[in-house]
Amino acid sequence: MIGVVIPARNEEALLGACLDAVACAAAHPLLDGEEVMIVIVLDACTDRSAKIAAERSVATEVSNLGLVGAARAMGAARVIESGARWISCTDADTIVAPNWLAAQLATDADVVCGTVIVDDWSGHSLAVQRRYLENYVDADGHRHVHGANLGIATHAYERAGGFPPFGFDEDVALVSALQATGANIAWSAAPKVQTSGRIKSRAPLGFGHYLTLLARG
């Protein structure tokens, strides 16, 4: 079984599209019918995110900590307990490609660090877009780490100690721990996702914060 973990903090505007995209990826023929369990971790939510998940019969966990690392860890624990051999992580403001899961598994690695595509640059200046594209490598061999596009074999995840309960950079910390254990990491551009280009991200010092820094030059 494959587990998909998605933390959500007041994402009612974007969560439905995220879940529909993941459901499409879960039905990809290259998965050969393998079961896919999707878990939404409602992280200090006060909106309709829980209802949106229920409408799609998606499993949920609830965290009141407001820490994305703790939320990811909770979701990972749920899918591992249910028998997942592989944990795929994305974010509630992200749209995964139809072959997202198949592309992660096709690397035959312990860990897959994928890239992201910003879905809309209209809220940013051309200078911000240029700076981003000048510094971003959307190709195999990149060294980017995104919680919105990350896959880990369960045995490697457990050996590395799992996601730390951080408010940001929990994905970077986990990948560093995985490297320390000698995990086979694929720095791959094959698994595609589109993520929100908003500046006001839910996680402090997350992707939106990085875009804000680019705006400051």
Side-chain angles (χ1 to χ4, degrees):
M1 189 187 81
I2 300 164
V4 178
V5 176
I6 310 170
R9 186 183 306 170
N10 293 338
E11 293 284 10
E12 63 181 4
L14 302 174
L15 182 57
C18 169
L19 291 176
D20 291 345
V22 171
C24 179
H28 195 280
L30 289 180
L31 297 182
D32 197 27
E34 184 170 4
E35 181 183 357
V36 177
M37 179 182 185
I38 305 169
V39 176
I40 297 293
V41 183
L42 303 167
D43 187 22
C45 281
T46 58
D47 68 350
R48 296 178 58 257
S49 292
K51 183 177 181 181
I52 292 167
E55 289 171 350
R56 289 163 171 76
S57 301
V58 173
T60 58
E61 293 284 339
V62 177
S63 171
N64 295 315
L65 298 177
L67 299 171
V68 64
R72 290 197 202 276
M74 181 179 289
R78 173 73 178 273
V79 298
I80 290 171
E81 181 182 2
S82 299
R85 68 179 180 95
W86 183 265
I87 306 160
S88 292
C89 300
T90 192
D91 290 335
D93 65 344
T94 299
I95 302 296
V96 304
N99 71 337
W100 177 60
L101 293 171
Q104 284 191 352
L105 293 171
T107 65
D108 199 28
D110 297 325
V111 186
V112 181
C113 293
T115 56
V116 302
I117 299 169
V118 175
D119 64 351
D120 184 5
W121 286 106
S122 61
H124 302 276
S125 68
L126 289 176
V128 170
Q129 183 177 0
R130 186 188 71 250
R131 291 178 193 129
Y132 177 83
L133 295 175
E134 285 175 350
N135 292 282
Y136 196 83
V137 179
D138 188 9
D140 290 348
H142 69 86
R143 285 297 184 270
H144 307 299
V145 177
H146 300 287
N149 193 356
L150 181 64
I152 316 110
T154 295
H155 66 85
Y157 178 85
E158 293 182 321
R159 188 167 62 244
F163 283 107
F166 296 166
F168 59 91
D169 279 354
E170 78 294 338
D171 45 3
V172 175
L174 174 59
V175 171
S176 293
L178 287 159
Q179 288 176 309
T181 67
N184 175 22
I185 301 178
W187 302 90
S188 176
K192 297 294 186 185
V193 308
Q194 288 190 347
T195 199
S196 171
R198 65 191 179 192
I199 291 178
K200 294 183 178 179
S201 61
R202 300 297 186 262
L205 303 182
F207 190 64
H209 176 72
Y210 174 65
L211 294 177
T212 299
L213 293 178
L214 290 180
R216 295 172 184 171

